[in-house]
């Protein structure tokens, strides 16, 4: 049984964001249909990466986020907007100011895609909040 079903209380997203400060390390808040709902605080530039097999949903909770692409126009997202990066598409998230995002993606999705860097967090080290 998933943790979400075991703990069916409503989740207040804004309150969850108050539980952590680190940038670029997502926290898991729910699991359903083999997907995770994750929260992350972003600031600055991440790294170019692609998720070979998974589409990635970004929902902007606070601030704004630019998604840079190699094969299409950049996308500027502001609070309340969402965007789905298709599987296999190279993307570079850039947040000029602190940005809060909610991500929904398959549990198998690795946040730096097929790119391994010092900023990659191992799948088993992902934290629930
Ligand atoms: Ni990504």
């Amino acid at each position: 049984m998933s943790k979400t079903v075991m703990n069916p209380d409503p989740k207040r997203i804004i309150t969850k964001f108050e539980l952590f400060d680190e940038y670029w390390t997502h926290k898991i808040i729910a699991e359903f249909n083999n997907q995770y709902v994750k929260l992350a605080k972003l600031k600055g530039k991440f790294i170019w990466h692609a998720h070979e097999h998974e589409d990635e949903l970004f929902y902007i909770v606070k601030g704004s986020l630019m998604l840079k692409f190699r094969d299409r126009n950049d996308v500027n997202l502001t609070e309340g907007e969402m965007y789905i990066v298709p599987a296999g598409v190279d993307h570079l998230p850039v947040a000029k100011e602190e940005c809060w995002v909610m991500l929904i993606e398959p549990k198998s999705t690795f946040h730096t895609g097929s790119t391994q860097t010092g900023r990659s967090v191992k799948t088993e080290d992902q934290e629930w909040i």
Side-chain angles (χ1 to χ4, degrees):
M1 190 183 287
S2 76
K3 292 191 186 189
T4 304
V5 176
M6 289 165 67
N7 179 7
D9 297 337
K11 296 177 196 305
R12 191 171 154 75
I13 304 292
I14 296 292
T15 306
K16 290 284 189 187
F17 273 104
E18 290 165 2
L19 299 176
F20 66 101
D21 292 317
E22 317 95 273
Y23 294 121
W24 305 108
T25 53
H26 52 246
K27 307 293 179 187
I28 301 166
I29 62 165
E31 173 186 347
F32 72 107
N33 294 336
N34 228 22
Q35 314 233 33
Y36 279 144
V37 180
K38 303 171 176 176
L39 304 182
K41 291 183 175 178
L42 315 180
K43 192 175 182 185
K45 225 184 234 191
F46 198 43
I47 53 156
W48 281 104
H49 67 280
H51 310 278
E52 199 179 342
H53 303 293
E54 301 104 347
D55 300 328
E56 182 169 50
L57 183 150
F58 288 81
Y59 173 73
I60 311 301
V61 175
K62 188 170 127 178
S64 60
L65 179 68
M66 181 192 284
L67 290 174
K68 292 175 101 45
F69 296 104
R70 299 188 198 276
D71 66 345
R72 61 196 71 197
N73 292 333
D74 297 343
V75 170
N76 279 296
L77 300 170
T78 57
E79 204 166 299
E81 292 186 321
M82 60 157 270
Y83 189 81
I84 297 170
V85 176
V89 171
D90 252 344
H91 55 286
L92 172 67
V94 181
K96 283 187 182 155
E97 306 292 336
E98 181 172 303
C99 174
W100 295 4
V101 299
M102 182 166 79
L103 300 152
I104 301 176
E105 55 196 11
K107 288 167 68 176
S108 58
T109 305
F110 193 58
H111 71 142
T112 56
S114 49
T115 308
Q116 282 287 346
T117 75
R119 296 164 78 172
S120 301
V121 176
K122 287 190 201 130
T123 307
E124 61 269 27
D125 292 339
Q126 296 182 114
E127 193 186 348
W128 277 79
I129 58 172

